[in-house]
Amino acid sequence: MADEALFLLLHNEMVAGVYKSAEQGEVENGRCITKLENMGFRVGQGLIERFTKDTARFKDELDIMKFICKDFWTTVFKKQIDNLRTNHQGIYVLQDNKFRLLTQMSAGKQYLEHASKYLAFTCGLIRGGLSNLGIKSIVTAEVSSMPACKFQVMIQKL
Amino acid sequence: MSRPVPRRPEYQKINKDLFVLTYGALVAQLCKDYEKDEDVNKYLDKMGYGIGTRLVEDFLARSCVRRCHSYSEITDIIAQVAFKMYLGVTPSVTCNNASRNEFSLILDKNPLSEFVEELPAGRSSLCYCNLLCGIIRGALEMVHLAADVTFLQDRLKGDSVTEIGITFLKQPNEKKYRRRK
């Protein structure tokens, strides 16, 4: 699907752009990940609204997480989440063994430290989607080996 | 799964929404970071340039277009193949001058500004879709064509259509592009 290429390229340019303006001293370094995450948050909110317009009501939290792993991930990244784990106390770990935004980078250790920059937007995407479904959460990501990555969702009970 | 799986066309629409929404979030963030409209426009153009230089390879790989022999052929291909492939719209092409190196792409419906009602207050000279100009400019440069791409009319600024103007700049050794007799 041709649209995918556009989004991938736009995402990469966004990450590069945010970090370049940080380098030039216009913005502090730590704010870059926050910026990207906030952009992802806003997009996630909008996307989930359009997506769940006609779907049935979700039974519970687990149902929502399954929706994110299957339908949402399939639409955005063309594949499902490979593994969902939970401790049934509000922590979910979503594992994607071939994350679309990382497949374009070489699969060795070379760019491992930079990989987290490319996950910030997606963390925001998940957090925004959940937020508009009524769930407040904190989403973090880690990469142990390219292109596999894990997103950890911590549900915040109000 | 107990829920019925939604049909494919809906999914594709949402996929396009992803790009449009991301672009909107990007412009919103840039408006927060930069006070002057020209800075935002320049940044979007530079970003688009970076995207265009890579997108053209993807484009050439997917569409099997043959070598073009004139500027108007190139503009037709951009309008009818590239725009259709990536944005799902086909702008109409007009030629603006007799020496046939200035063209306009006229878009009735601009998919990038689908969710934009109006430009924010105080941002009247913001070219919301300046990314497109950068993309076209970057893509053309990768195939060794220098061009100036700007917005001539913008629906968001009150005009009736959105018009992108492409001016092909003269190459130092233009002999290469003339057809052999």
Side-chain angles (χ1 to χ4, degrees), chain B residues 158-174:
Chain B
D159 301 313
S160 50
V161 290
T162 307
E163 188 179 342
I164 302 177
I166 306 180
T167 308
F168 291 96
L169 304 170
K170 227 177 163 122
Q171 297 288 320
N173 46 350
E174 226 194 24

Side-chain angles (χ1 to χ4, degrees), chain B residues 12-72:
Chain B
Q12 287 189 5
K13 174 102 195 355
I14 293 173
N15 229 312
K16 191 144 46 120
D17 288 345
L18 172 65
F19 177 70
V20 175
L21 286 171
T22 308
Y23 185 66
L26 171 67
V27 179
Q29 182 67 44
L30 286 177
C31 287
K32 257 194 262 178
D33 288 341
Y34 296 105
E35 286 199 10
K36 293 208 267 194
D37 293 343
E38 297 87 53
D39 289 338
V40 180
N41 290 342
K42 217 167 26 152
Y43 192 96
L44 285 174
D45 188 73
K46 214 165 35 136
M47 231 188 198
Y49 180 80
I51 295 179
T53 52
R54 294 171 181 92
L55 195 67
V56 70
E57 288 175 13
D58 183 81
F59 172 68
L60 290 173
R62 278 183 217 265
S63 67
C64 308
V65 288
R66 277 178 295 170
R67 195 189 200 100
C68 294
H69 296 287
S70 69
Y71 292 141
S72 67

Side-chain angles (χ1 to χ4, degrees), chain B residues 5-177:
Chain B
V5 180
R7 291 189 309 274
R8 285 286 297 171
E10 278 176 31
Y11 272 18
Q12 287 189 5
K13 174 102 195 355
I14 293 173
N15 229 312
K16 191 144 46 120
D17 288 345
L18 172 65
F19 177 70
V20 175
L21 286 171
T22 308
Y23 185 66
L26 171 67
V27 179
Q29 182 67 44
L30 286 177
C31 287
K32 257 194 262 178
D33 288 341
Y34 296 105
E35 286 199 10
K36 293 208 267 194
D37 293 343
E38 297 87 53
D39 289 338
V40 180
N41 290 342
K42 217 167 26 152
Y43 192 96
L44 285 174
D45 188 73
K46 214 165 35 136
M47 231 188 198
Y49 180 80
I51 295 179
T53 52
R54 294 171 181 92
L55 195 67
V56 70
E57 288 175 13
D58 183 81
F59 172 68
L60 290 173
R62 278 183 217 265
S63 67
C64 308
V65 288
R66 277 178 295 170
R67 195 189 200 100
C68 294
H69 296 287
S70 69
Y71 292 141
S72 67
E73 256 185 77
I74 296 172
T75 320
D76 283 335
I77 299 242
I78 296 179
Q80 285 155 18
V81 188
F83 263 82
K84 179 91 184 140
M85 191 188 279
Y86 292 109
L87 293 174
V89 290
T90 315
S92 50
V93 181
T94 57
C95 180
N96 287 351
N97 71 348
S99 59
R100 301 196 68 76
N101 67 334
E102 279 179 30
F103 296 86
S104 288
L105 297 170
I106 301 186
L107 283 155
D108 282 329
K109 193 169 83 85
N110 187 352
L112 278 186
S113 54
E114 198 181 318
F115 301 125
V116 184
E117 286 178 12
E118 55 175 19
L119 290 176
R123 290 276 178 192
S124 50
S125 55
L126 176 69
C127 288
Y128 184 80
C129 304
N130 221 22
L131 196 89
L132 285 180
C133 293
I135 293 183
I136 298 176
R137 189 169 63 91
L140 286 173
E141 187 152 324
M142 280 293 121
V143 290
H144 303 293
L145 288 165
D148 248 337
V149 188
T150 49
F151 267 93
L152 298 174
Q153 287 189 75
D154 196 349
R155 243 226 178 98
L156 288 173
K157 293 190 186 157
D159 301 313
S160 50
V161 290
T162 307
E163 188 179 342
I164 302 177
I166 306 180
T167 308
F168 291 96
L169 304 170
K170 227 177 163 122
Q171 297 288 320
N173 46 350
E174 226 194 24
K175 275 200 274 221
K176 260 194 228 162
Y177 297 92

Side-chain angles (χ1 to χ4, degrees), chain A residues 32-101:
Chain A
C32 296
I33 299 265
T34 315
K35 260 199 208 175
L36 289 166
E37 219 250 349
N38 284 337
M39 283 198 254
F41 182 77
R42 185 66 198 92
V43 176
Q45 283 184 316
L47 261 187
I48 208 86
E49 272 175 9
R50 302 184 71 69
F51 209 152
T52 54
K53 202 163 49 129
D54 297 318
T55 49
R57 192 193 256 259
F58 296 107
K59 286 198 302 276
D60 57 13
E61 216 172 73
L62 186 57
D63 209 25
I64 295 182
M65 290 313 296
K66 283 203 239 176
F67 173 80
I68 300 268
C69 295
K70 290 197 174 122
D71 299 323
F72 188 74
W73 218 257
T74 312
T75 307
V76 177
F77 299 113
K78 303 291 180 319
K79 62 185 288 288
Q80 294 187 6
I81 285 277
D82 296 306
N83 199 336
L84 171 67
R85 287 204 295 270
T86 175
N87 67 353
H88 292 289
Q89 277 163 17
I91 301 204
Y92 297 85
V93 179
L94 286 70
Q95 185 167 341
D96 190 334
N97 290 334
K98 205 168 165 219
F99 190 50
R100 259 257 149 47
L101 299 179

